[in-house]
Amino acid sequence: SANLLREITALHPDITALVAESSSGWARAAAARSAAVALVAEVSAAGALASLPANTLPSLRRALGEALADGLGNESRALQLRLQQHADVGYADPHDALFARHALDLLIENRRAQDGIEDLQAGRHPQRRIQAPIYRSRRAAARNGLRASLAVVISAILLSLGGWPFASLGLALVGLTIAFSANTPNPRAFAAEAVIAMPIAALLAGVTEFLILDGVDQFPLLAIGMAPVVLAGALLSTSPNQGLASTAYLALVFFLVILAPANPQVYNPETYLFYSFMAITSVVLLFVLLWTVLPTSDALRRRWYLTSARAEMRDLLAGGRSRRLDDEALFRDADRIGQLAALQPAADDGRRDD
């Protein structure tokens, strides 16, 4: 369940990016949010059903399975009406009442998810406007910000002491890359991917500039020369392999930085070599700094996540109310669970305790 929630909430950046992709981007993003929130609510309802005794309302349990297999057909609608009638009348057994309530929630959310996916494909606004808030630890954010500041200061000192040409480019790339890494669940893994992506980007920029373009100054030829790298990077960035997708995305970004298209284009091998050297040096320096300056272990992240969950639970038990709608609060909690699932397992089966 935790891994499934992680898969759903990990779509949040892609959903946000839909806004800029087409004229119907706002509608498609709203539909995608509605579908994602409904999917999380489905997982929650299924987990609640699974927690009940297996012998609870066996006939209704079979009918629920058939209705879900039927999709949004007549069986699903008939069962939803039947469950609604049972909920109005009530059950003597609390397990039966809970089963009817959660089964009804499951069918409703399943329909909302299907409707959201259809709206997404059609590019139209969903009937339900809902947000998909994500969870971010304030302690982790403060630590990331402090680490980024220290990394930029240390990099600036080292690069200025080196006295290399284009040192300002190296510092700019340190700032750019650490800003990217601060928004990722694992900044260290991101820095490792950047170390792999930067030499690839430098090589591709050199091949494009000196072998493919080779002195031309017409924009159409520039676009044609860049097309293979841009298309390959864009396609690989959609790979289900997260490491490959991140590396391809970074290589595409760094390729454009090192190539530095201009009018007219400056075909200077010395400039290219200095650019490439400073770019590779900057990501290697960043990798070292992220591993040595204020390192954040998975155990520490786990403690922060669970502390925040316990604090919110205590507030609810004391009579507090969430400021968000129930489904929105579910999505935020699912994002926190997904981040927990992404951490390395604790010793002695600690993930079960989490």
Side-chain angles (χ1 to χ4, degrees), residues 46 61 74 98 145 188 205 208 210 226 235 253 271 289-290 348:
R61 187 183 292 268
N74 294 330
L98 285 172
R188 289 181 176 182
T208 302
F210 297 106
M226 292 171 55
L235 289 172
V253 173
T271 301
L289 290 173
L290 285 179
D348 302 323

Side-chain angles (χ1 to χ4, degrees), residues 53-322:
N55 59 353
T56 305
L57 297 177
S59 61
L60 202 56
R61 187 183 292 268
R62 284 193 300 272
L64 178 61
E66 293 169 357
L68 291 172
D70 183 45
L72 301 182
N74 294 330
E75 288 190 25
S76 176
R77 285 190 288 271
L79 180 60
Q80 186 172 333
L81 182 60
R82 178 181 167 191
L83 288 169
Q84 188 65 60
Q85 292 171 346
H86 282 305
D88 294 338
V89 174
Y91 284 95
D93 189 312
H95 285 155
D96 294 350
L98 285 172
F99 187 94
R101 179 69 260 173
H102 295 316
L104 182 59
D105 289 342
L106 182 58
L107 290 174
I108 291 173
E109 297 300 342
N110 186 57
R111 179 174 293 275
R112 285 175 175 173
Q114 294 279 3
D115 290 344
I117 292 170
E118 290 176 3
D119 292 336
L120 169 63
Q121 293 170 340
R124 60 173 177 258
H125 283 282
Q127 293 182 351
R128 188 176 63 147
R129 303 292 178 88
I130 195 165
Q131 298 302 313
I134 57 176
Y135 170 78
R136 289 295 180 264
S137 168
R138 294 179 179 176
R139 297 180 185 181
R143 196 180 185 93
N144 284 345
L146 182 58
R147 184 195 297 112
S149 300
L150 292 174
V152 171
V153 170
I154 294 171
S155 300
I157 293 172
L158 293 177
L159 291 172
S160 61
L161 290 176
W164 293 317
F166 301 105
S168 59
L169 171 71
L171 183 59
L173 284 173
V174 168
L176 173 70
T177 314
I178 203 165
F180 279 157
S181 70
N183 292 321
T184 60
N186 191 342
R188 289 181 176 182
F190 181 90
E193 291 162 358
V195 170
I196 298 172
M198 188 64 81
I200 296 173
L203 177 62
L204 293 174
V207 170
T208 302
E209 185 170 3
F210 297 106
L211 295 181
I212 298 177
L213 298 176
D214 193 22
V216 302
D217 59 0
Q218 291 92 357
F219 178 79
L221 295 177
L222 171 67
I224 293 171
M226 292 171 55
V229 176
V230 173
L231 291 174
L235 289 172
L236 288 174
S237 65
T238 63
S239 168
N241 184 324
Q242 191 59 45
L244 176 62
S246 298
T247 303
Y249 171 75
L250 289 174
L252 182 57
V253 173
F254 296 146
F255 163 75
L256 294 172
V257 171
I258 297 174
L259 181 62
N263 187 16
Q265 183 74 12
V266 179
Y267 291 94
N268 187 332
E270 184 178 353
T271 301
Y272 162 74
L273 289 175
F274 276 125
Y275 256 62
S276 301
F277 173 73
M278 290 308 305
I280 295 172
T281 300
S282 67
V283 293
V284 171
L285 181 60
L286 176 65
F287 177 78
V288 173
L289 290 173
L290 285 179
W291 276 86
T292 55
V293 177
L294 296 178
T296 306
S297 65
D298 281 356
L300 186 58
R301 292 178 190 277
R302 180 179 292 105
R303 190 165 79 233
W304 288 342
Y305 298 161
L306 296 179
T307 298
S308 69
R310 278 194 290 266
E312 291 175 18
M313 180 63 72
R314 281 196 298 269
D315 182 58
L316 290 172
L317 292 174
R321 283 287 300 168
S322 173

